Amino acid sequence: MSNEARIAETLAAIDAASDADAVEAIRIETLGKQGWISAALKSLGAMPPEERAKAAPAIQAMRQQVADAIAAKKGDLDEAALEASLASETLDLSLPAPETPKGSVHPVSQVMDELAEIFADMGFAVAAGPEIEDDWHNFTALNMPESHPARAMHDTFYFPDTAPEGGRMLLRTHTSPVQVRTMMSQGAPVRIIAPGRVYRSDSDATHTPMFHQIEGLVIDRGIHLGHLKWTLETFLKAFFERQDIVLRLRPSYFPFTEPSVEVDVGFALENGKRVLGGSGDEPGHGWMELLGSGMVNRRVIEMTGLDPDEWQGFAFGVGVDRLAMLKYGMDDLRAFFDGDVRWLRHYGFSPFDQPTLSAGVGARA
Ligand code: PHE
């Protein structure tokens, strides 16, 4: 068969090939190591130069023609394969993307954010103090005498170290030392909340050795009990998102406030569950103790170097974990700190859902 006839046959075979394998087979037959066009090219080497110069262009042209035809066919087949898959496979970009696993915000962090939002709206800044305190800031400056029961070993975690002033180091038992630190560092007036961890040697279903409190402190001229009551009422209504929250102020005692006021909130029993709202004196209702507060004792104000005749104020301390339990309906405090992911998945909050007053501080994801 002449070379022209073989080329015509090869080009026809390439044209007729239905897949990449068939094209590859033709390439091996022609341009492969043992292919006949490769053999023809090789045979040029054995020719005398004159003959080679005559024969070479035709063989090179053949090789080029077949190589071009194979490349073109491969391109056509690839394109056809792409078109076929585009026609058969559909990708709907309007479908929601599959959920990727993400962490959740712990209810304690959520509630602290909610409180910061509510108090920021009333002009309170957030203050912080150390969790490892000295007994002067935790007790002495708060007018808690040496004999006070909270100072006892069985209530407080002490360190063997000695404090700079010569006293003892301990894990703070409440957030109240932040009152002292803030008054001393910034003077008056003061309007702060101080959320954080506190520690007591206590452990049962409703007490964990570590828990969370939020302290509030206002120091200014002419501050009185009415300001305290309004602030607490406004805060609790915003936090529980109920206008019918009723407070009962009960005389109490804390060494660092005078007078001291225990604050109860009214609740109703609904299917055996306590639901906040309404007066606790109504039939079927009751009062629940919620927080401690009072007018800052003038001895404390004096201790921080301020003049108690010029500056007065109020303070309060609330359990953050308890607020979270009441608002979001958990009943075992210990589960808060077990780190069980099933609990966190159930009670956690979306990290993208920031509490705001306008959208509802406690909007659930
Ligand atoms: N520190 C007190 C406690 O832990 C609470 C409190 C704070 C009371 C501020 C009055 C004023 O029980």
Side-chain angles (χ1 to χ4, degrees):
M1 204 191 308
S2 70
N3 277 347
E4 287 72 33
R6 273 185 110 175
I7 284 295
E9 200 172 82
T10 301
L11 294 178
I14 292 171
D15 193 44
S18 59
D19 57 28
D21 287 347
V23 178
E24 181 61 8
I26 297 167
R27 191 193 65 78
I28 290 168
E29 253 170 50
T30 53
L31 307 174
K33 264 193 191 145
Q34 321 285 329
W36 66 266
I37 296 179
S38 302
L41 280 166
K42 248 182 252 160
S43 68
L44 287 174
M47 292 176 190
E50 260 171 51
E51 205 176 315
R52 185 190 309 151
K54 256 199 252 157
I59 297 179
Q60 291 291 10
M62 248 166 31
R63 194 195 61 80
Q64 196 58 50
Q65 220 180 343
V66 172
D68 289 349
I70 287 174
K73 184 67 185 185
K74 277 190 176 163
D76 288 351
L77 287 173
D78 284 352
E79 201 173 307
L82 181 64
E83 255 158 38
S85 73
L86 282 177
S88 63
E89 296 161 22
T90 52
L91 185 63
D92 186 348
L93 293 175
S94 68
L95 284 172
E99 270 232 37
T100 45
K102 55 179 188 289
S104 60
V105 174
H106 194 285
V108 170
S109 305
Q110 168 77 17
V111 164
M112 283 185 174
D113 288 350
E114 293 176 16
L115 295 171
E117 176 70 22
I118 291 166
F119 280 103
D121 195 54
M122 293 195 266
F124 284 68
V126 175
E131 286 170 40
I132 298 175
E133 254 307 357
D134 55 63
D135 67 354
W136 189 83
H137 287 94
N138 194 83
F139 295 127
T140 313
L142 289 163
N143 194 36
M144 286 165 109
E146 287 294 336
S147 58
H148 196 278
R151 284 187 175 235
M153 289 287 277
H154 57 81
D155 278 326
T156 302
F157 294 110
Y158 287 97
F159 290 91
D161 313 62
T162 312
E165 290 84 5
R168 297 159 89 184
M169 296 302 290
L170 47 87
L171 290 174
R172 66 179 180 189
T173 61
H174 52 179
T175 42
S176 301
V178 184
Q179 290 186 34
V180 177
R181 288 185 175 276
T182 309
M183 281 188 266
M184 292 182 81
S185 65
Q186 76 173 56
V190 172
R191 214 187 283 186
I192 54 129
I193 53 165
R197 280 185 279 266
V198 300
Y199 303 83
R200 285 178 206 175
S201 187
D202 232 350
S203 189
D204 59 41
T206 52
H207 298 88
T208 47
M210 185 281 302
F211 60 103
H212 300 84
Q213 284 191 334
I214 188 164
E215 193 83 7
L217 174 68
V218 169
I219 300 284
D220 210 328
R221 294 187 177 89
I223 297 293
H224 54 70
L225 213 53
H227 296 121
L228 169 63
K229 188 179 184 230
W230 179 86
T231 304
L232 292 178
E233 216 171 82
T234 305
F235 140 52
L236 291 170
K237 283 178 178 171
F239 177 73
F240 288 112
E241 298 177 275
R242 292 185 72 116
Q243 280 308 302
D244 62 348
I245 295 287
V246 180
L247 303 188
R248 183 177 72 176
L249 273 54
R250 216 162 17 86
S252 181
Y253 174 75
F254 299 101
F256 37 93
T257 47
E258 180 58 35
S260 299
V261 178
E262 204 85 55
V263 176
D264 303 332
V265 277
F267 66 85
L269 274 179
E270 285 172 20
N271 306 320
K273 279 215 154 201
R274 292 170 164 200
V275 177
L276 295 190
S279 162
D281 290 332
E282 279 166 39
H285 287 224
W287 295 104
M288 170 186 331
E289 186 180 312
L290 194 64
L291 60 94
S293 66
M295 300 308 294
V296 179
N297 192 314
R298 56 183 289 123
R299 289 204 202 168
V300 174
I301 295 178
E302 219 162 32
M303 203 98 64
T304 65
L306 296 174
D307 177 2
D309 290 322
E310 185 179 2
W311 303 103
Q312 301 79 39
F314 64 78
F316 57 88
V318 203
V320 174
D321 315 287
R322 206 161 118 72
L323 286 178
M325 289 167 85
L326 279 170
K327 183 166 177 178
Y328 294 113
M330 305 87 154
D331 47 20
D332 189 354
L333 177 63
R334 288 170 298 193
F336 273 59
F337 311 121
D338 281 348
D340 186 329
V341 285
R342 292 166 302 179
W343 189 89
L344 292 169
R345 220 170 271 145
H346 184 77
Y347 288 111
F349 291 80
S350 162
F352 300 116
D353 206 25
Q354 295 287 323
T356 63
L357 285 174
S358 54
V361 283
R364 284 215 78 145

